[in-house]
C-alpha cells in the first residue's frame, strides 16, 4: 500500500527514495501486497460459488507478476500467443488459461490447442471455422465459448469500450445460437461457456449487469435445445479511482453478477486493471522547470513511451512528490511533460506540485497498461520494474540497454 511516512512516500515498508537511488528513474514500482489483496478480494467475494478468476495478462505481463498470481491460484486470460508463452514461462499450466482476442492466427490456435488451454473464446464465424479445422488436423478436442457482443454502452472512453455493436469485438447476440449449433455438431468442438467483455475502466455496474442478463438468457435458451454450457465468463473491466471516479467495490460487483447467473453455471471473471492498476507507481525525476509566457512545464525523465495512457486517452494519473516538503513546499502550477519530440508527450496537465529540478515525482496508479504499453519511441530504452515485497524490494525487469535496442538490426554498415 502507498502512503507517506515522515514526509516520504513509501510503498508498503519501502522508502521510494531507496528505489530511485538504486535503479534510477524512470522506474516502475509494484506492491506485491496490494496485488495479492486485490486478487483475494475477487476470490473471497465468490465464497462457495463455483468460479475462476483469470487475470487479464494484457494489463501487465511481467513474469514475476504472473508468478505471484499463479501462486495465489489465479487463472489467466490471454489475447495473444506471446501472452500464452509468458504464462507458461511463469510456470502456469495451459489448463489455467482462457484465450480471448479478435484476430487469433492459425499458428496461435495450433499452439493453444496443442498445449491444451482450458477454453478458447471465439469472436467470429471465420474464427470458428478455423478452430474447427485446427482441431480436426490435430485430432484434439477443444473447449469453446463464444464471446458475444451484447450492444450495451459501458460509458467509458471510446477506445476502451468493446461491447457496442460498432466495435470489432464479439459475435452479435442474434448470430450466436447458430454458431453454438455448429459447435455442437462438430465431433471435436465442445460448447463449454459463453463470454462477454464490454469494456475497461467501467465505473457503472448497470451495463455489466445488462450484458450478463442477456448472456444468461442466451445460455438458458441454448439449454432448452440441449446445448448445456458450464460457465459464464463476464469479462473484466472494473475501473479504479484515478481521480474522483467511484467504481463499485469488487465484492459488490461479484455479488451482483452472481445474483444474476443461475447456480448451474460457474462464473468466470477476467480482471486486469482492478488487480494491478493501483499496485503500480512510476517514478520520474524533474529535469527542468521551463517557464514560457503561457505556462510552466515540469520536464521530467519519463515520457509518453514509458506511460502512454495520457497521450492516448487523455487519461488522468495522480502525481505526487516523493518528499512532501523538500524546501518549504512552494507549489508550481505546471504541466508535467516528457522529453519526446511531440506536443502530445504529456503525463499530467495543470497540476500544483512542489516541483524542482532534481526532485522525484511519483505517477500513481500506473500498474495496469503502463509498462505493458511502453515503446522505444525516440530510441528510449524501457524503464526497469521493481517489486516491493513487505520491507524488501527486488528488480523484476532490468532497465533496457541501448545495445538491446539495436540487437536485432542487420546490415547497418551498408555502404
Ligand atoms: N478481458 C478481455 C477480453 C480484455 O480485452 C481485457 C482488456 C480484459 C479482460 C481486462 O480488462 P480490465 O479489467 O483491465 O479493464 N489500454 C487501455 C485498456 C485496454 C483494455 C484491453 N482489454 C487503458 O490503458 O485504459
Amino acid at each position: 500500500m502507498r502512503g507517506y511516512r515522515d514526509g516520504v512516500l513509501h510503498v508498503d515498508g519501502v522508502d521510494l527514495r531507496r528505489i530511485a537511488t538504486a535503479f534510477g528513474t524512470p522506474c516502475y514500482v509494484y506492491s506485491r501486497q496490494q496485488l495479492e489483496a486485490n486478487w483475494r478480494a475477487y476470490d473471497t467475494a465468490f465464497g462457495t460459488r463455483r468460479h475462476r478468476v483469470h487475470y487479464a495478462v494484457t494489463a501487465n505481463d511481467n513474469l514475476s507478476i504472473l508468478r505471484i498470481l499463479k501462486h495465489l491460484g489465479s487463472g489467466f486470460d490471454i489475447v495473444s500467443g506471446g501472452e500464452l508463452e509468458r504464462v507458461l514461462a511463469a510456470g502456469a499450466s495451459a489448463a489455467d488459461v482462457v484465450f480471448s482476442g479478435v484476430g487469433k492466427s492459425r499458428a496461435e490456435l495450433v499452439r493453444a490447442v496443442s498445449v491444451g488451454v482450458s477454453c478458447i473464446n471465439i469472436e467470429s464465424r471465420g474464427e470458428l471455422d478455423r478452430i474447427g479445422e485446427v482441431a480436426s488436423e490435430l485430432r484434439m478436442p477443444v473447449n469453446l465459448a463464444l464471446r458475444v457482443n451484447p450492444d450495451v454502452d459501458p460509458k467509458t472512453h471510446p477506445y476502451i469500450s468493446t461491447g457496442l455493436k460498432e466495435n470489432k469485438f464479439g459475435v452479435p447476440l442474434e448470430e450466436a445460437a447458430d454458431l453454438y449449433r455448429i459447435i455442437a455438431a462438430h465431433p471435436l468442438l465442445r460448447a463449454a461457456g459463453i463470454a462477454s467483455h464490454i469494456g475497461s475502466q467501467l465505473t457503472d455496474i448497470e451495463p455489466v449487469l445488462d450484458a450478463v442478463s442477456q448472456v444468461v438468457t442466451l445460455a438458458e435458451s441454448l439449454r432448452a435445445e440441449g446445448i448445456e454450457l458450464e460457465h459464464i465468463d463476464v469479462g473484466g473491466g472494473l475501473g479504479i479511482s484515478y481521480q474522483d471516479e467511484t467504481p463499485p467495490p469488487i465484492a459488490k460487483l461479484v455479488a451482483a453478477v452472481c445474483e444474476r447467473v443461475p447456480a448451474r453455471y460457474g462464473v468466470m471473471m477476467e480482471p486486469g486493471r482492478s488487480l494491478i492498476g493501483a499496485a503500480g507507481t512510476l517514478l520520474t525525476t524533474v529535469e527542468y522547470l521551463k517557464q514560457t509566457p503561457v505556462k510552466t512545464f515540469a520536464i521530467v525523465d519519463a515520457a509518453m513511451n514509458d506511460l502512454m495512457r495520457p497521450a492516448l486517452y487523455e487519461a488522468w494519473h495522480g502525481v505526487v512528490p516523493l518528499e512532501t516538503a523538500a524546501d518549504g513546499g512552494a507549489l508550481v502550477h505546471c504541466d508535467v511533460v516528457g522529453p519526446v519530440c511531440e506536443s502530445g508527450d504529456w503525463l499530467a496537465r495543470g497540476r500544483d506540485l512542489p516541483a524542482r529540478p532534481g526532485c522525484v515525482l511519483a505517477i500513481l496508479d500506473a500498474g495496469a497498461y503502463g509498462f505493458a504499453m511502453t515503446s522505444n519511441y525516440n530510441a528510449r530504452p524501457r524503464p526497469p520494474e521493481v517489486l516491493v515485497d513487505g520491507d524488501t524490494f527486488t528488480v523484476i525487469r532490468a532497465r533496457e540497454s541501448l545495445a538491446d535496442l539495436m540487437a536485432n538490426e542487420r546490415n547497418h554498415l551498408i555502404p
Side-chain angles (χ1 to χ4, degrees), residues 56 77 100 147 160 197 200 236-237 270-273 309 313 369 373:
D77 174 78
S100 303
R147 172 171 173 185
I160 53 177
H197 169 79
S200 196
E270 304 164 356
R273 187 190 315 266
R309 302 192 69 257
Y313 316 112
Y369 310 105
M373 293 175 76

Side-chain angles (χ1 to χ4, degrees), residues 312-375:
L312 191 57
Y313 316 112
E314 302 198 334
W316 195 99
H317 283 265
V319 181
V320 298
L322 236 55
E323 294 174 81
T324 43
D327 62 355
L331 299 180
V332 182
H333 189 72
C334 59
D335 284 8
V336 179
V337 300
V340 157
C341 60
E342 300 226 21
S343 293
D345 176 28
W346 59 275
L347 298 167
R349 284 175 169 161
R351 306 296 173 87
D352 294 308
L353 290 165
R356 309 283 179 274
C359 86
V360 182
L361 301 175
I363 302 177
L364 308 180
D365 304 315
Y369 310 105
F371 192 95
M373 293 175 76
T374 54
S375 78

Side-chain angles (χ1 to χ4, degrees), residues 85-100:
E85 299 310 323
R86 285 191 157 272
V87 168
L88 296 177
S93 152
D96 295 326
V97 173
V98 169
F99 194 177
S100 303

